[in-house]
């Protein structure tokens, strides 16, 4: 029977990543307006292989799931205007024209920061297109809460650099 090492049993120092230490970079949107972002996630489909009376599986297509981020709606610079400029690259509501994917797909960068502001993790979100935008709710019953914009993007794929 192997003998356990002292460091495997007792305290080992580590620094966990914290959810409030991040920067999201989107071309055309100031980073300080982005106040929250959902996690990068993917789904691998399973392809069944039938053989006599058993079934086994191999990996099918990988689907990168949508990512949602939340922005402040500022008076200036307008978060809504920034998002609509991105949306208009794919569809201009006044003329009804659609754009080429080369125009409306953007590469985003999601950086996780360490305690001293160093970048400890970086996701590249490649070929993201806006699938949904919600420009916030307004109500006279509210007590002055900041208006938020919700943007959902569909990436082609994502790369975890480190």
């Amino acid at each position: 029977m192997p003998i356990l090492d002292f460091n495997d049993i007792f305290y080992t120092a580590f620094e966990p990543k914290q959810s409030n230490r991040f920067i999201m970079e989107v071309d055309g949107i100031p980073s300080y307006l982005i106040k929250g972002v959902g996690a990068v996630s993917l789904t691998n489909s399973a392809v069944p292989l039938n053989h006599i009376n058993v079934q086994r599986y191999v990996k099918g297509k990988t689907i990168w799931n949508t990512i949602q981020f939340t922005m402040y709606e500022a008076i200036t610079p307008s978060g809504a205007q920034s998002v609509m400029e991105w949306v208009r690259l794919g569809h201009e509501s006044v003329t009804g024209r659609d754009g080429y994917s080369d125009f409306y797909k953007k590469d985003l960068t999601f950086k996780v920061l360490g305690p001293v502001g160093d970048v400890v993790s970086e996701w590249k979100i490649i070929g993201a297109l806006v699938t949904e935008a919600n420009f916030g709710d307004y109500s006279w019953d509210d007590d002055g809460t900041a208006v938020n914009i919700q943007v959902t993007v569909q990436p082609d794929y994502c790369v975890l650099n480190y």
Side-chain angles (χ1 to χ4, degrees), residues 29 33-35 69-73 79 83 147-149 151:
I29 298 175
L33 290 182
I34 300 174
K35 72 178 226 173
F69 61 91
T70 306
M71 300 171 45
Y72 290 111
E73 168 55 312
V83 171
V147 175
N148 293 318
I149 298 172
V151 179

Side-chain angles (χ1 to χ4, degrees), residues 4-98:
L4 292 175
D5 183 65
F6 177 80
N7 290 326
D8 293 336
I9 302 170
F10 295 103
Y11 176 79
T12 302
F14 73 99
E15 183 73 33
K17 294 177 183 176
Q18 295 187 11
S19 62
N20 65 335
R21 294 181 184 155
F22 73 93
I23 294 175
M24 179 86 163
E25 296 173 353
V26 180
D27 184 36
I29 298 175
S31 291
Y32 59 84
L33 290 182
I34 300 174
K35 72 178 226 173
V37 62
V40 173
S41 67
L42 63 91
T43 303
N44 283 323
S45 65
V47 177
L49 301 175
N50 295 308
H51 182 72
I52 307 173
N53 64 347
V54 296
Q55 191 174 57
R56 48 183 292 253
Y57 297 88
V58 294
K59 190 193 98 44
K61 292 184 179 183
T62 298
I63 300 168
W64 290 92
N65 300 320
T66 60
I67 300 168
Q68 188 175 67
F69 61 91
T70 306
M71 300 171 45
Y72 290 111
E73 168 55 312
I75 295 171
T76 181
S78 171
Q81 189 66 38
S82 299
V83 171
M84 278 308 297
E85 287 174 9
W86 186 2
V87 169
R88 282 189 202 109
L89 295 173
H91 178 76
E92 178 55 63
S93 56
V94 175
T95 63
R97 289 188 296 187
D98 286 345

